[in-house]
Short mmCIF file of all heavy atoms in Angstrom, two decimals:
data_model
loop_
_atom_site.label_atom_id
_atom_site.label_comp_id
_atom_site.label_asym_id
_atom_site.label_seq_id
_atom_site.Cartn_x
_atom_site.Cartn_y
_atom_site.Cartn_z
N ALA A 385 -50.97 -18.69 13.83
CA ALA A 385 -49.76 -19.50 13.94
C ALA A 385 -48.95 -19.03 15.13
O ALA A 385 -49.29 -18.03 15.78
CB ALA A 385 -48.93 -19.32 12.65
N ASP A 386 -47.87 -19.76 15.44
CA ASP A 386 -47.00 -19.40 16.52
C ASP A 386 -46.47 -17.96 16.41
O ASP A 386 -46.25 -17.26 17.39
CB ASP A 386 -45.75 -20.33 16.62
CG ASP A 386 -46.14 -21.60 17.34
OD1 ASP A 386 -46.80 -21.52 18.39
OD2 ASP A 386 -45.74 -22.69 16.87
N THR A 387 -46.30 -17.53 15.18
CA THR A 387 -45.71 -16.21 14.92
C THR A 387 -46.74 -15.09 14.86
O THR A 387 -46.41 -13.92 14.71
CB THR A 387 -44.89 -16.20 13.63
OG1 THR A 387 -45.78 -16.68 12.55
CG2 THR A 387 -43.70 -17.13 13.70
N SER A 388 -48.00 -15.43 15.03
CA SER A 388 -49.12 -14.44 14.89
C SER A 388 -49.23 -13.59 16.12
O SER A 388 -48.86 -13.97 17.24
CB SER A 388 -50.42 -15.14 14.66
OG SER A 388 -50.43 -15.92 13.50
N ARG A 389 -49.79 -12.41 15.93
CA ARG A 389 -50.18 -11.54 17.00
C ARG A 389 -51.74 -11.43 16.90
O ARG A 389 -52.27 -11.21 15.81
CB ARG A 389 -49.54 -10.15 16.92
CG ARG A 389 -49.83 -9.22 18.08
CD ARG A 389 -49.05 -7.95 18.02
NE ARG A 389 -49.33 -7.07 19.12
CZ ARG A 389 -48.79 -7.12 20.31
NH1 ARG A 389 -47.86 -8.04 20.54
NH2 ARG A 389 -49.14 -6.31 21.27
N VAL A 390 -52.41 -11.56 18.03
CA VAL A 390 -53.86 -11.67 18.00
C VAL A 390 -54.52 -10.67 18.93
O VAL A 390 -53.89 -10.11 19.85
CB VAL A 390 -54.33 -13.09 18.36
CG1 VAL A 390 -53.88 -14.11 17.36
CG2 VAL A 390 -53.84 -13.49 19.81
N LYS A 391 -55.83 -10.44 18.67
CA LYS A 391 -56.63 -9.60 19.53
C LYS A 391 -57.76 -10.49 20.09
O LYS A 391 -58.48 -11.16 19.33
CB LYS A 391 -57.23 -8.45 18.75
CG LYS A 391 -58.03 -7.46 19.58
CD LYS A 391 -58.53 -6.29 18.70
CE LYS A 391 -59.30 -5.28 19.54
NZ LYS A 391 -59.74 -4.13 18.66
N VAL A 392 -57.89 -10.54 21.42
CA VAL A 392 -58.90 -11.43 22.04
C VAL A 392 -59.65 -10.72 23.15
O VAL A 392 -59.21 -9.74 23.71
CB VAL A 392 -58.19 -12.71 22.57
CG1 VAL A 392 -57.38 -13.43 21.55
CG2 VAL A 392 -57.37 -12.37 23.80
N ASP A 393 -60.81 -11.32 23.48
CA ASP A 393 -61.53 -11.00 24.67
C ASP A 393 -61.57 -12.24 25.53
O ASP A 393 -61.71 -13.35 25.00
CB ASP A 393 -62.97 -10.61 24.30
CG ASP A 393 -63.34 -9.20 24.86
OD1 ASP A 393 -62.52 -8.62 25.62
OD2 ASP A 393 -64.42 -8.73 24.53
N TYR A 394 -61.42 -12.11 26.82
CA TYR A 394 -61.35 -13.30 27.66
C TYR A 394 -61.96 -13.03 29.04
O TYR A 394 -62.03 -11.89 29.50
CB TYR A 394 -59.91 -13.81 27.81
CG TYR A 394 -59.02 -12.87 28.61
CD1 TYR A 394 -58.89 -12.99 29.98
CD2 TYR A 394 -58.33 -11.82 27.99
CE1 TYR A 394 -58.10 -12.13 30.71
CE2 TYR A 394 -57.55 -10.94 28.69
CZ TYR A 394 -57.40 -11.11 30.07
OH TYR A 394 -56.65 -10.22 30.77
N HIS A 395 -62.33 -14.12 29.69
CA HIS A 395 -62.80 -14.07 31.09
C HIS A 395 -62.23 -15.28 31.82
O HIS A 395 -62.49 -16.43 31.38
CB HIS A 395 -64.37 -14.15 31.07
CG HIS A 395 -65.01 -14.04 32.42
ND1 HIS A 395 -65.09 -12.89 33.12
CD2 HIS A 395 -65.56 -15.02 33.18
CE1 HIS A 395 -65.74 -13.07 34.26
NE2 HIS A 395 -66.02 -14.34 34.32
N GLY A 396 -61.42 -15.02 32.85
CA GLY A 396 -60.72 -16.12 33.52
C GLY A 396 -61.23 -16.36 34.95
O GLY A 396 -61.40 -15.44 35.73
N THR A 397 -61.46 -17.64 35.27
CA THR A 397 -61.88 -18.00 36.64
C THR A 397 -61.10 -19.20 37.13
O THR A 397 -60.50 -19.98 36.37
CB THR A 397 -63.38 -18.37 36.68
OG1 THR A 397 -63.60 -19.59 35.98
CG2 THR A 397 -64.26 -17.25 36.07
N LEU A 398 -61.10 -19.38 38.43
CA LEU A 398 -60.65 -20.61 39.05
C LEU A 398 -61.75 -21.68 38.96
O LEU A 398 -62.86 -21.33 38.57
CB LEU A 398 -60.25 -20.40 40.51
CG LEU A 398 -59.22 -19.29 40.78
CD1 LEU A 398 -59.01 -19.15 42.31
CD2 LEU A 398 -57.92 -19.57 40.05
N ILE A 399 -61.45 -22.87 39.33
CA ILE A 399 -62.50 -23.95 39.18
C ILE A 399 -63.62 -23.73 40.19
O ILE A 399 -64.66 -24.30 40.01
CB ILE A 399 -61.86 -25.34 39.40
CG1 ILE A 399 -61.17 -25.49 40.70
CG2 ILE A 399 -60.88 -25.63 38.24
CD1 ILE A 399 -60.66 -26.90 40.97
N ASP A 400 -63.43 -22.91 41.22
CA ASP A 400 -64.52 -22.62 42.15
C ASP A 400 -65.35 -21.41 41.69
O ASP A 400 -66.24 -20.99 42.42
CB ASP A 400 -64.00 -22.40 43.61
CG ASP A 400 -63.13 -21.15 43.70
OD1 ASP A 400 -62.94 -20.43 42.70
OD2 ASP A 400 -62.59 -20.92 44.82
N GLY A 401 -65.03 -20.87 40.57
CA GLY A 401 -65.83 -19.71 40.02
C GLY A 401 -65.22 -18.35 40.32
O GLY A 401 -65.74 -17.36 39.84
N THR A 402 -64.15 -18.30 41.09
CA THR A 402 -63.52 -17.00 41.44
C THR A 402 -62.93 -16.35 40.16
O THR A 402 -62.16 -16.98 39.47
CB THR A 402 -62.37 -17.20 42.48
OG1 THR A 402 -62.95 -17.73 43.64
CG2 THR A 402 -61.73 -15.83 42.81
N VAL A 403 -63.37 -15.13 39.92
CA VAL A 403 -62.86 -14.39 38.75
C VAL A 403 -61.48 -13.76 39.13
O VAL A 403 -61.39 -13.06 40.11
CB VAL A 403 -63.80 -13.29 38.29
CG1 VAL A 403 -63.24 -12.52 37.11
CG2 VAL A 403 -65.18 -13.88 37.92
N PHE A 404 -60.46 -14.06 38.33
CA PHE A 404 -59.14 -13.50 38.64
C PHE A 404 -58.72 -12.46 37.60
O PHE A 404 -57.86 -11.64 37.86
CB PHE A 404 -58.10 -14.56 38.76
CG PHE A 404 -57.89 -15.46 37.59
CD1 PHE A 404 -57.17 -15.06 36.48
CD2 PHE A 404 -58.51 -16.72 37.58
CE1 PHE A 404 -56.99 -15.88 35.40
CE2 PHE A 404 -58.33 -17.54 36.48
CZ PHE A 404 -57.60 -17.16 35.37
N ASP A 405 -59.31 -12.49 36.41
CA ASP A 405 -58.96 -11.50 35.37
C ASP A 405 -60.01 -11.60 34.28
O ASP A 405 -60.49 -12.67 33.97
CB ASP A 405 -57.59 -11.82 34.80
CG ASP A 405 -57.06 -10.66 33.95
OD1 ASP A 405 -57.63 -9.55 34.05
OD2 ASP A 405 -56.07 -10.88 33.20
N SER A 406 -60.35 -10.44 33.70
CA SER A 406 -61.37 -10.45 32.66
C SER A 406 -61.31 -9.19 31.80
O SER A 406 -61.61 -8.10 32.29
CB SER A 406 -62.79 -10.57 33.29
OG SER A 406 -63.79 -10.45 32.33
N SER A 407 -60.93 -9.33 30.57
CA SER A 407 -60.97 -8.21 29.66
C SER A 407 -62.42 -7.86 29.31
O SER A 407 -62.72 -6.73 29.02
CB SER A 407 -60.19 -8.51 28.38
OG SER A 407 -60.85 -9.52 27.60
N VAL A 408 -63.31 -8.87 29.41
CA VAL A 408 -64.71 -8.65 29.16
C VAL A 408 -65.26 -7.66 30.18
O VAL A 408 -65.98 -6.70 29.84
CB VAL A 408 -65.52 -10.00 29.23
CG1 VAL A 408 -67.00 -9.72 29.08
CG2 VAL A 408 -65.04 -10.91 28.14
N GLU A 409 -64.95 -7.88 31.45
CA GLU A 409 -65.42 -6.97 32.51
C GLU A 409 -64.82 -5.56 32.39
O GLU A 409 -65.47 -4.56 32.71
CB GLU A 409 -65.17 -7.56 33.89
CG GLU A 409 -66.00 -8.82 34.21
CD GLU A 409 -65.78 -9.33 35.63
OE1 GLU A 409 -64.87 -8.75 36.33
OE2 GLU A 409 -66.44 -10.29 35.98
N ARG A 410 -63.60 -5.53 31.92
CA ARG A 410 -62.94 -4.21 31.75
C ARG A 410 -63.44 -3.51 30.49
O ARG A 410 -63.26 -2.29 30.30
CB ARG A 410 -61.43 -4.38 31.66
CG ARG A 410 -60.76 -4.81 32.95
CD ARG A 410 -59.26 -4.65 32.87
NE ARG A 410 -58.65 -5.41 31.80
CZ ARG A 410 -58.24 -6.69 31.92
NH1 ARG A 410 -58.41 -7.30 33.09
NH2 ARG A 410 -57.69 -7.38 30.94
N GLY A 411 -64.03 -4.25 29.58
CA GLY A 411 -64.48 -3.73 28.28
C GLY A 411 -63.32 -3.37 27.40
O GLY A 411 -63.43 -2.47 26.55
N GLU A 412 -62.18 -4.07 27.53
CA GLU A 412 -60.99 -3.74 26.73
C GLU A 412 -60.31 -5.07 26.25
O GLU A 412 -59.59 -5.73 26.99
CB GLU A 412 -59.97 -3.01 27.61
CG GLU A 412 -60.47 -1.68 28.10
CD GLU A 412 -59.45 -1.01 29.02
OE1 GLU A 412 -58.41 -1.66 29.31
OE2 GLU A 412 -59.64 0.17 29.40
N PRO A 413 -60.61 -5.44 24.97
CA PRO A 413 -59.89 -6.59 24.42
C PRO A 413 -58.39 -6.36 24.47
O PRO A 413 -57.91 -5.24 24.54
CB PRO A 413 -60.37 -6.64 22.97
CG PRO A 413 -61.72 -5.93 23.01
CD PRO A 413 -61.55 -4.86 24.05
N VAL A 414 -57.61 -7.47 24.49
CA VAL A 414 -56.16 -7.36 24.60
C VAL A 414 -55.47 -7.90 23.33
O VAL A 414 -56.07 -8.71 22.63
CB VAL A 414 -55.66 -8.08 25.86
CG1 VAL A 414 -56.19 -7.43 27.10
CG2 VAL A 414 -56.01 -9.57 25.82
N GLU A 415 -54.23 -7.42 23.11
CA GLU A 415 -53.44 -7.88 22.02
C GLU A 415 -52.12 -8.47 22.51
O GLU A 415 -51.51 -7.93 23.42
CB GLU A 415 -53.14 -6.72 21.07
CG GLU A 415 -54.42 -6.05 20.51
CD GLU A 415 -54.09 -4.82 19.65
OE1 GLU A 415 -52.87 -4.50 19.49
OE2 GLU A 415 -55.01 -4.16 19.22
#
Side-chain angles (χ1 to χ4, degrees):
D386 276 317
T387 55
S388 300
R389 185 174 179 84
V390 295
K391 182 177 183 179
V392 305
D393 235 354
Y394 68 91
H395 182 76
T397 68
L398 304 179
I399 59 175
D400 65 2
T402 300
V403 179
F404 58 81
D405 192 14
S406 176
S407 69
V408 175
E409 291 185 355
R410 292 193 300 272
E412 298 177 354
V414 296
E415 301 174 3

